[in-house]
Amino acid sequence: MSTENRSPDAPASDMSEAASRNTLALNPLVGIQGQDLVEGAGILFKAVINEPKVATEQWLSFVSELGSIAAGKSERAPKAGDKRFADPTWKESSLHSGLLKAYLAWGEAVNGLVDKTSLSDIDKQRAHLITEILIDAVAPTNTMITNPAAVRKFIDTGGQSLWSGLKNYIGDLTQNRGMPSMVDMSAFKVGENLATTPGAVIFRNELLELIQYTPTTPTVRKRPLVITPPQINKYYALDLSPDKSMVRFLLESGIQVFAVSWRNPTAAHRDWGLDTYVAALDEAVDAAREISGSEDISMMGSCSGGITSTAYFATLGSAAEQKIKNLVLAVCLLDPNSAEESAFGCLMTPETMRAAKASSQLRGIVDGHDLARMFAWMRPNDLIWNYWVNNYLLGNQPPAFDILYWNADTTRLPAALHGDYLDLYFSNPFVNAGKLKLNDKTIDMSKVKADSYVVAGVTDHITPWKGVYKTAQIMGEGTTFVLSNSGHLQSLLNPPSNPKASFMIGPVTADKPDAFMASAEKRKGSWWLDWRDWLQPRSGEEISAPSSPGSARYPILAKAPGTYVFD
């Protein structure tokens, strides 16, 4: 579990930064349900009942440690980076210091119990996931009486902080399904202060809208870039505020940019599968080709959007060279077995996947809000307890942060697509040729070729970078691999203005990712600049920028950000 927690006194920007490192993504959590956590708790309970000797030993060890704490002999301290206990009261007050040390000792005893049982390795991982959730939940910072910052604010405000916290709590019960709000939703509006880059919808089908952005340079490269986002979130992650908009950066670099905005499906669309999405994407690509006058395009896909892009690319077979010249994949796992490296791999079994598939087939959809709640309990300190303390104990409003607004603006997945993505765990078609057919086309990555650029985040726990390196290997030798110094979403929102940005880069020649790490070139700054230098010469000749979006065949249907984004 994450230990990068924030002090209750931390500025809202610190809380937002912590949460933004843990944004929702389709892979691999789409296969995890609440029942899986219940089963993990059952494993832990059985271990206590079936091995009483181990439980007794851990209890006696904890009692002995309490004696050392009472005698002032304990040297226990929080782990480095755990900011929950940054308030000086935890050191200066003997009462709070003793409480903290007792809490740490109890947590160590509980985890030690799991380690010393005869459980299998996978069951130990599951049990540890439950113990960490439990340990995080009972932290003394999470209650009013034992949180010194909350007590101090209560006194300073004459009790107003408690009243404000109560109102926030009631509001979340009625409007946020009882979860602490991570963001002030009233601070943002799509099309007004988010997703504001000028453009127009120039194509629409049942599944998507295609947005063509207005060029900002007098000349542009002829070959356009079509961006394919994940289906579990709205498309505008790459066009948030102007200072972190990848779309604006590309336009300023003379690239013609088109972006797919997926429709938010309902249960009536339960039969939309990967084949349906691939067919819809092909129509969008043909529209971009016709409008730009280019025979082929460059395509970028991130996370599950990368899976969709690659599946579409592979269906083109030898004709791929006629439609897709360059393929950019970001934080994308094409080999789902690589997800086992994630913090949640212990919950991903054939049984849990089948149960998840059956559940979505019954409902017709997977609700993004439900998935977000599940994910929050995987990272409770950053995604629940930080906001519990801030919103309720301190009585503060949640921060206004664009990334967190986008993260809360979830979508649904149709049951068929959800099932198709889960099936990838069993068939692994991008590695095993012939295991998947889409629209009567067999997927065989050995028969398709494109210049490829693959991006990963070194601290990404959702699509671990070593798994994304396997994606680069699947794309073939000559693929450029970039390892950004950040996490899942932050590795994408990494503009040149970011002073902390750095990355490693190199060709995919090493058999193992660790070998890449040892030989790769280390650079300061944003990988966007290198990507621009890679993409520009691969984007064709310079031509005059189009004077208006669309064409006679594809007229303007709506201004950007379109209509589907509001579903």
Side-chain angles (χ1 to χ4, degrees):
M1 303 299 293
S2 172
T3 58
E4 287 192 277
N5 307 299
R6 292 295 180 262
S7 164
D9 291 323
S13 59
D14 286 355
M15 292 178 58
S16 302
E17 182 181 351
S20 67
R21 289 195 295 268
N22 297 282
T23 47
L24 179 66
L26 177 62
N27 237 343
L29 293 173
V30 71
I32 297 176
Q33 303 181 95
Q35 180 62 31
D36 301 324
L37 291 183
V38 173
E39 292 176 359
I43 291 170
L44 177 61
F45 179 74
K46 289 179 181 179
V48 174
I49 297 301
N50 295 336
E51 301 188 53
K53 181 179 179 181
V54 174
T56 301
E57 289 175 351
Q58 289 303 109
W59 170 252
L60 293 176
S61 175
F62 171 60
V63 171
S64 176
E65 183 62 18
L66 289 181
S68 298
I69 293 170
K73 297 180 181 180
S74 174
E75 299 296 329
R76 290 185 180 275
K79 292 181 180 180
D82 189 341
K83 301 296 180 63
R84 289 175 298 178
F85 305 102
D87 191 292
T89 305
W90 292 108
K91 292 183 179 180
E92 297 170 356
S93 165
S94 58
L95 176 63
H96 284 83
S97 176
L99 180 62
L100 169 58
K101 290 176 180 179
Y103 165 70
L104 296 175
W106 176 77
E108 182 178 294
V110 172
N111 276 325
L113 167 65
V114 175
D115 289 333
K116 293 179 181 180
T117 63
S118 57
L119 293 171
S120 65
D121 289 342
I122 188 68
D123 280 346
K124 282 185 178 180
Q125 292 179 48
R126 292 174 179 172
H128 270 306
L129 185 60
I130 299 303
T131 59
E132 291 293 347
I133 292 174
L134 176 63
I135 292 167
D136 291 343
V138 300
T141 49
N142 294 339
T143 61
M144 182 74 188
I145 297 176
T146 54
N147 187 316
V151 172
R152 186 163 53 248
K153 188 163 186 183
F154 175 83
I155 296 172
D156 291 345
T157 63
Q160 181 61 41
S161 63
L162 182 61
W163 175 244
S164 298
L166 179 61
K167 290 192 292 184
N168 289 341
Y169 178 71
I170 293 173
D172 283 338
L173 279 179
T174 58
Q175 300 175 19
N176 200 41
R177 305 185 186 184
M179 295 288 284
S181 295
M182 294 173 57
V183 62
D184 179 2
M185 298 293 286
S186 66
F188 300 99
K189 190 170 183 179
V190 174
E192 293 186 7
N193 56 1
L194 295 175
T196 60
T197 301
V201 174
I202 44 74
F203 173 76
R204 180 187 295 128
N205 60 27
E206 195 177 13
L207 277 78
L208 62 82
E209 290 181 330
L210 184 66
I211 298 170
Q212 180 184 10
Y213 288 99
T214 303
T216 59
T217 55
T219 61
V220 295
R221 299 283 178 162
K222 186 174 183 179
R223 180 176 295 118
L225 175 72
V226 176
I227 297 174
T228 309
Q231 289 94 341
I232 197 62
N233 275 113
K234 301 292 178 68
Y235 84 94
Y236 61 87
L238 301 185
D239 186 31
L240 288 170
S241 56
D243 63 328
K244 60 170 71 87
S245 171
M246 180 183 285
V247 170
R248 288 182 183 249
F249 173 80
L250 290 165
L251 293 172
E252 292 166 359
S253 302
I255 302 297
Q256 295 192 73
V257 181
F258 293 77
V260 168
S261 174
W262 297 115
R263 185 177 180 183
N264 194 5
T266 67
H269 307 121
R270 62 172 63 238
D271 295 327
W272 288 357
L274 185 55
D275 55 351
T276 322
Y277 280 83
V278 163
L281 188 57
D282 186 50
E283 292 181 358
V285 166
D286 285 345
R289 292 168 60 216
E290 195 274 344
I291 291 169
S292 65
S294 175
E295 293 184 356
D296 51 32
I297 65 152
S298 300
M299 178 166 280
M300 177 183 181
S302 59
C303 199
S304 64
I307 297 175
T308 308
S309 297
T310 307
Y312 166 56
F313 170 66
T315 63
L316 299 174
S318 59
E321 296 179 5
Q322 300 174 18
K323 284 195 177 184
I324 297 180
K325 187 69 173 177
N326 310 299
L327 190 59
V328 181
L329 300 175
V331 293
C332 172
L333 290 175
L334 293 183
D335 180 357
N337 296 321
S338 304
E340 295 176 0
E341 300 173 14
S342 79
F344 320 110
C346 63
L347 296 180
M348 296 163 56
T349 66
E351 292 75 22
T352 61
M353 294 297 171
R354 292 188 184 99
K357 186 174 180 179
S359 176
S360 66
Q361 287 175 339
L362 183 64
R363 297 179 61 187
I365 57 168
V366 173
D367 192 320
H369 289 292
D370 293 340
L371 186 57
R373 288 168 63 88
M374 189 68 211
F375 183 46
W377 283 108
M378 300 293 98
R379 299 281 172 180
N381 278 332
D382 284 330
L383 301 180
I384 296 178
W385 301 119
N386 260 347
Y387 294 92
W388 174 277
V389 172
N390 178 78
N391 301 1
Y392 308 152
L393 304 191
L394 298 178
N396 297 329
Q397 292 301 308
F401 191 46
D402 50 11
I403 292 177
L404 298 185
Y405 179 92
W406 166 83
N407 191 53
D409 193 9
T410 59
T411 62
R412 297 173 289 271
L413 291 178
L417 179 65
H418 177 227
D420 287 342
Y421 275 131
L422 292 179
D423 287 344
L424 297 180
Y425 285 89
F426 303 105
S427 61
N428 204 356
F430 299 112
V431 174
N432 302 312
K435 294 293 185 178
L436 176 65
K437 272 191 173 184
L438 294 171
N439 303 317
D440 297 323
K441 305 289 182 61
T442 301
I443 301 301
D444 184 348
M445 293 300 293
S446 68
K447 294 184 178 180
V448 289
K449 176 76 174 173
D451 284 355
S452 303
Y453 195 97
V454 177
V455 182
V458 70
T459 58
D460 187 347
H461 57 270
I462 298 173
T463 52
W465 79 266
K466 292 183 179 180
V468 181
Y469 185 80
K470 180 63 180 293
T471 294
Q473 290 178 313
I474 291 171
M475 296 309 300
E477 281 195 25
T479 297
T480 298
F481 183 71
V482 167
L483 183 59
S484 176
N485 70 325
S486 47
H488 188 72
L489 179 62
Q490 297 291 58
S491 63
L492 298 183
L493 303 185
N494 204 341
S497 59
N498 180 5
K500 299 179 181 179
S502 65
F503 62 97
M504 304 177 71
I505 186 169
V508 181
T509 54
D511 290 336
K512 302 293 183 181
D514 290 336
F516 168 85
M517 181 75 81
S519 61
E521 178 186 353
K522 300 175 179 62
R523 298 184 189 176
K524 292 183 178 180
S526 169
W527 63 267
W528 287 14
L529 299 174
D530 179 84
W531 180 39
R532 176 196 63 192
D533 295 341
W534 181 91
L535 186 60
Q536 281 178 333
R538 291 172 170 80
S539 296
E541 62 182 323
E542 286 191 272
I543 60 173
S544 296
S547 58
S548 61
S551 65
R553 183 178 178 184
Y554 297 103
I556 295 174
L557 302 177
K559 290 184 178 180
T563 60
Y564 282 177
V565 73
F566 297 108
D567 289 348

